[in-house]
Amino acid sequence: MSARALPLLFLNLGGEMLYILDQRLRAQSIPGEKARKDEWTDVDRKRVMNDIITTMFNKKFMEELFKPQELYSKKALRTVYDRLAHASIMRLNQASMDKLYDLMTMAFKYQVLLCPRPKDILLVTFNHLDAIKDFICDAPGILNQVDETFRQLIETYSCLSAGEFQRIRQTLLVFFQDMHIRVSIFLKDKVQNSNGRFVLPISGPVPWGTEVPGLIRIFNRNGDEVKRTEFTTDGNYVTPQREGSFDLYGDRVLKLGTNMYSISRPVETHMSGSSKNLASHAKENIVPNPLAKEELNFLARLLGGLEVKKPGGSETGFRLNLFTTDEEEEHAALARPEELSYEVINIEATQEPGCRAELSRILGELEVAQPRPASAVKGEDLLALMDAL
């Protein structure tokens, strides 16, 4: 497992989340002069996007994220995105949040699978950040936050070897391996089968720095080429004209990670049979996790910079529906397997007595439910850490 995969996972999933929210907010926006008090306007859309991006690229949050660490469970990361999606006046029901997370994860899983080289995962990340910068092009303060993260990525990953990038790619694929959610866009484009598994192409550009298949060279012990043999391939391969730019600005060449929702079309998700069968294996949601305290420690550090915005005064939170109608959203909520639903743990990294007491209660329940591993974080240590934040 790579200790450098978490920032790439978070930023790419976050980029996909922003693509989806922007598309849905645009679809539901009403011109300002015609909108009722409870309806979305384009001003509301920009405010939501700015608030979420500001929170997502918070300096303190990024410092914690970039520390070398292993990936945590899907449940722990899902909690972070639940908190991030509600960092503005927008509110999502459980079914819409489930659908949002399904779309995010399946999109990035497809991108990781299609990367020509493991290192190209970094280009996918840059494509997401380039698009995010377009969302906030008129907000220079937020733009500086994103650029700072860009520089951190370049500093952290530009010196890694091809082998380390391969470890990162394998770590991400292990994280996604049991997720087989069918997405209408992928099904219509015939890049996903009815069982939720992706169809990988056998044609197209080969990885930068490699040659088109079709030639075997044989060398002697001195390293001299002594024979060539050609063979035919089933695929139609081409050599890429140039490598994508790994600089702060530049042509990434690779299109993976760009906004596939820029052309408006409905997107539905469906639980495949194999994913439904995973319900019996998803006991981490109900059976105590030996690493639960480490995950609470992780969440306490990360969520310290993610504050849910509470509408002030007479302002009300706007609800966003990722389904076509409210009836579809209600049906999805009822049809969702109970084992695959997520219960959000809200942890405020503050020194409020109520928060400390609640966290102590959670840690106490975990202590009773599961014997403490030798490496577990003590509850008082966690509270001390939170005091220091």
Side-chain angles (χ1 to χ4, degrees), residues 60-211:
K60 186 176 180 181
F61 182 82
M62 285 293 123
E63 288 175 355
E64 290 293 339
L65 190 72
F66 272 83
K67 291 178 180 178
Q69 55 194 301
E70 292 186 0
L71 293 187
Y72 282 74
S73 69
K74 298 177 179 67
K75 186 175 182 180
L77 285 175
R78 163 61 194 265
T79 302
V80 175
Y81 288 108
D82 217 318
R83 193 66 170 276
L84 185 60
H86 293 90
S88 184
I89 57 173
M90 181 185 67
R91 294 295 174 263
L92 292 171
N93 286 347
Q94 179 70 49
S96 285
M97 189 65 214
D98 285 342
K99 180 176 179 180
L100 174 63
Y101 192 69
D102 287 344
L103 291 171
M104 291 159 50
T105 52
M106 294 309 292
F108 184 45
K109 177 181 179 179
Y110 184 56
Q111 293 158 14
V112 174
L113 286 170
L114 257 61
C115 277
R117 301 174 301 172
K119 186 179 180 180
D120 289 334
I121 293 174
L122 194 54
L123 290 178
V124 175
T125 310
F126 286 176
N127 275 335
H128 280 114
L129 294 190
D130 286 340
I132 290 172
K133 288 168 67 174
D134 288 339
F135 288 143
I136 40 96
C137 58
D138 55 350
I142 311 175
L143 200 59
N144 287 336
Q145 288 181 251
V146 180
D147 279 342
E148 181 57 34
T149 300
F150 240 124
R151 295 184 185 96
Q152 281 185 275
L153 282 168
I154 294 171
E155 180 182 348
T156 303
Y157 293 95
S158 61
C159 59
L160 297 187
S161 65
E164 182 57 35
F165 274 110
Q166 175 62 12
R167 288 183 63 193
I168 291 173
R169 183 174 185 271
Q170 287 301 114
T171 301
L172 294 174
L173 291 177
V174 168
F175 179 84
F176 289 124
Q177 67 180 349
D178 294 327
M179 305 179 73
H180 307 294
I181 311 298
R182 291 179 293 155
V183 178
S184 61
I185 286 181
F186 295 140
L187 293 170
K188 290 175 183 176
D189 292 344
K190 300 187 185 302
V191 298
Q192 192 178 30
N193 290 326
S194 58
N195 62 3
R197 297 182 183 274
F198 287 110
V199 180
L200 301 183
I202 58 171
S203 298
V206 297
W208 175 258
T210 63
E211 298 181 6

Side-chain angles (χ1 to χ4, degrees), residues 214-272:
L215 179 64
I216 300 175
R217 295 186 178 92
I218 300 175
F219 298 84
N220 61 20
R221 66 176 63 185
N222 297 323
D224 300 323
E225 182 179 330
V226 296
K227 184 180 179 181
R228 287 191 176 195
T229 303
E230 294 184 356
F231 64 94
T232 59
T233 62
D234 295 331
N236 182 22
Y237 300 100
V238 295
T239 303
Q241 294 183 348
R242 62 190 183 282
E243 184 181 23
S245 172
F246 289 90
D247 297 326
L248 185 60
Y249 302 99
D251 183 4
R252 313 302 175 192
V253 179
L254 193 71
K255 299 305 179 185
L256 296 173
T258 55
N259 191 351
M260 67 177 178
Y261 306 99
S262 54
I263 300 176
S264 180
R265 48 180 175 174
V267 184
E268 297 296 333
T269 57
H270 313 275
M271 190 71 67
S272 68

Side-chain angles (χ1 to χ4, degrees), residues 290-329:
L291 299 178
K293 291 185 178 180
E294 285 88 334
E295 291 192 357
L296 278 175
N297 183 42
F298 166 74
L299 290 175
R301 295 203 318 270
L302 284 187
L303 297 184
L306 294 180
E307 296 184 1
V308 176
K309 292 242 178 181
K310 295 181 180 179
S314 60
E315 186 181 46
T316 58
F318 286 88
R319 186 174 73 87
L320 180 66
N321 185 357
L322 266 70
F323 294 82
T324 307
T325 64
D326 290 344
E327 289 74 17
E328 285 186 22
E329 185 180 49

